[in-house]
Amino acid sequence: MLLPTLVVAVCHCLTAVAQTPPTLEVSVYDKSSVQPGFIYLAPNAIPFAGPYVYDSNGTIVFNGAGKLSGTVHGFQPCVYQKKQRFCAWKGTTALGYGSGQAVILDDQFNVIKALPTSDYHELKIVQAMDKGQYSDTAFLTVYTPVRRDLSAFGVPNEDDQGWVVDCHFRAVDPATNKVLFDWSSLDHVPLSEGYVPPTGGISGRTQRNAWDYFHLNSVARLDGGDYLISARHTSAIYRISGKDGSIMWRLGGKKSDFMLDNFSFDSQHDVRVVSGKGDILTLSLFDNEYNAFVQPPKGLSSGKIIEVDTATKTARLVHQYDSPSKEVGNPSEDGGSVQVTHKGNAFIGWGSDAQVTEHTADGRLVYAARFGVSGSSANSYRAFKAHFTGIKK
């Protein structure tokens, strides 16, 4: 399913431009081929970090630095109660996950709704009609350290037991914050499926250093009510029953139910449903091919479109979109996103590699830009492209 084209109203005088805001330096721009729209980023690890909107020339049209406390991730336009809004996550992060809140903001960037405490890896609000009634559902991730016997994985049972992260995804009614569906990785996925051992900052010996064996990083809902989730540390995509939470199939990882035809992915992010018809699912994903906890990199990062045949249990690569700087040999360590636009282009945020690109369906590069300041470690967990019109003067 394609992401919607959104029209967002915002006060033009929300904030004065900071003295040194993160620039967007455009190196490729084919105006006739790109999807019209504006670029949503939440750059971090730089001065004046925060949510920003840029036009395709690299000009800042909205500067939200300082508007939300803490680290900001997942800044994007969204629809809530049939109105165009902003969504973002704000909070603190450490060792690869976070604790904070997703918020919904009005067109003057006032918080109109705070969602339950969550991690930053997923924030998506979707709409549905059920028995003639319109409803919103928010998808959130929650990372919860819990006690487990990890002696089989080399973690001694000092002070009772070790610590492991139980990754949850929750479907929440944003109007009431009622949890509609709650899924736990430890209830369904054994520790042995992880590729990342308990080591270093995730040694499993303390609550702060809980072993993150799964690392849930995206949630999508399929037609019919099932879910598709991505786990970075198992390098797998899971189809989850919307009825009882059971795993219906795995794509990739140690226990894949599918044969992957001449392609692979590793430590991926942002798995989305592009389309579905019969037994065929077309998915987009950002293939990092790199995880800092498992050295060295397995390859270079890329955006991928894949076709999954659930009847024959095969998957094939449809398109691969490489970075224009791939000759440098610097894969994206974390983060990354792929958005298939209404035009059929792939708009890609490269996570910790501070750039955005856009490619036609046949792979031609039609847009490339870098953000941040020279020499910085700027990053944006995801990037989005959408309309940004009706600006109030």
Side-chain angles (χ1 to χ4, degrees):
M1 293 176 288
L2 301 181
L3 290 179
T5 301
L6 299 174
V7 180
V8 181
V10 67
C11 176
H12 191 58
C13 56
L14 285 177
T15 181
V17 174
Q19 290 181 328
T20 55
T23 58
L24 188 65
E25 299 179 356
V26 180
S27 58
V28 177
Y29 183 15
D30 181 344
K31 294 183 180 181
S32 64
S33 300
V34 299
Q35 173 73 45
F38 291 77
I39 296 166
Y40 290 70
L41 295 171
N44 283 288
I46 54 172
F48 300 101
Y52 287 83
V53 180
Y54 301 83
D55 67 18
S56 294
N57 293 310
T59 302
I60 295 173
V61 297
F62 170 68
N63 175 352
K67 288 288 183 180
L68 296 173
S69 60
T71 299
V72 178
H73 285 300
F75 173 53
Q76 60 191 283
C78 59
V79 176
Y80 174 59
Q81 295 183 340
K82 301 182 182 180
K83 294 183 179 180
Q84 305 292 341
R85 301 298 190 190
F86 294 106
C87 288
W89 181 92
K90 63 185 184 72
T92 59
T93 63
L95 300 174
Y97 56 96
S99 178
Q101 278 190 311
V103 292
I104 303 171
L105 306 114
D106 65 16
D107 59 5
Q108 296 188 45
F109 227 64
N110 299 311
V111 175
I112 59 174
K113 184 65 182 179
L115 301 181
T117 300
S118 65
D119 160 70
Y120 67 84
H121 281 91
E122 186 59 281
L123 167 58
K124 188 69 66 177
I125 297 180
V126 299
Q127 291 71 45
M129 291 292 292
D130 183 20
K131 298 178 181 178
Q133 297 294 315
Y134 171 93
S135 64
D136 298 305
T137 302
F139 298 138
L140 306 173
T141 50
V142 178
Y143 281 46
T144 305
V146 298
R147 287 288 205 179
R148 281 292 189 278
D149 182 349
L150 302 179
S151 57
F153 301 92
V155 180
N157 280 333
E158 301 172 353
D159 188 25
D160 191 22
Q161 291 183 319
W163 290 90
V164 65
V165 176
D166 189 9
C167 286
H168 289 251
F169 80 81
R170 290 174 180 159
V172 175
D173 179 350
T176 64
N177 282 349
K178 179 182 178 181
V179 176
L180 306 174
F181 188 86
D182 185 13
W183 185 89
S184 155
S185 64
L186 286 177
D187 285 348
H188 299 280
V189 182
L191 300 174
S192 57
E193 281 196 38
Y195 286 105
V196 177
T199 183
I202 55 170
S203 65
R205 297 193 177 211
T206 66
Q207 182 176 10
R208 174 178 173 79
N209 300 108
W211 177 28
D212 181 8
Y213 86 105
F214 193 69
H215 201 87
L216 173 64
N217 62 20
S218 71
V219 181
R221 186 163 64 187
L222 295 162
D223 292 341
D226 294 333
Y227 298 92
L228 207 64
I229 66 171
S230 165
R232 172 172 166 83
H233 288 182
T234 63
S235 291
I237 300 164
Y238 301 79
R239 181 169 183 162
I240 305 299
S241 168
K243 296 179 180 178
D244 60 15
S246 61
I247 296 174
M248 302 174 70
W249 48 252
R250 294 164 168 84
L251 174 64
K254 295 180 180 180
K255 300 176 67 176
S256 182
D257 295 302
F258 293 79
M259 181 185 73
L260 277 62
D261 185 9
N262 294 322
F263 82 100
S264 64
F265 56 87
D266 187 88
S267 304
Q268 75 288 341
H269 282 81
D270 198 40
V271 176
R272 302 294 168 194
V273 181
V274 178
S275 64
K277 185 176 182 180
D279 297 323
I280 305 298
L281 274 177
T282 302
L283 309 178
S284 62
L285 61 91
F286 186 83
D287 181 12
N288 293 79
E289 292 288 333
Y290 181 52
N291 189 320
F293 291 110
V294 182
Q295 300 283 353
K298 294 185 177 181
L300 297 181
S301 304
S302 64
K304 283 185 166 71
I305 307 295
I306 63 174
E307 186 179 271
V308 180
D309 189 326
T310 59
T312 63
K313 290 295 189 290
T314 58
R316 69 179 185 91
L317 180 67
V318 178
H319 297 295
Q320 176 171 316
Y321 306 106
D322 296 319
S323 165
S325 58
K326 69 177 183 177
E327 66 277 4
V328 177
N330 182 30
S332 178
E333 179 179 337
D334 55 61
S337 57
V338 178
Q339 174 187 349
V340 177
T341 71
H342 288 273
K343 199 169 186 174
N345 291 354
F347 179 74
I348 301 177
W350 292 83
S352 60
D353 184 7
Q355 64 171 329
V356 293
T357 61
E358 188 170 337
H359 312 251
T360 58
D362 61 5
R364 184 166 58 90
L365 180 70
V366 294
Y367 189 83
R370 286 198 164 271
F371 58 89
V373 294
S374 178
S376 75
S377 56
N379 64 85
S380 183
Y381 175 62
R382 287 178 181 163
F384 301 89
K385 194 169 195 183
H387 283 301
F388 187 81
T389 59
I391 297 175
K392 297 177 182 178
K393 298 296 184 180

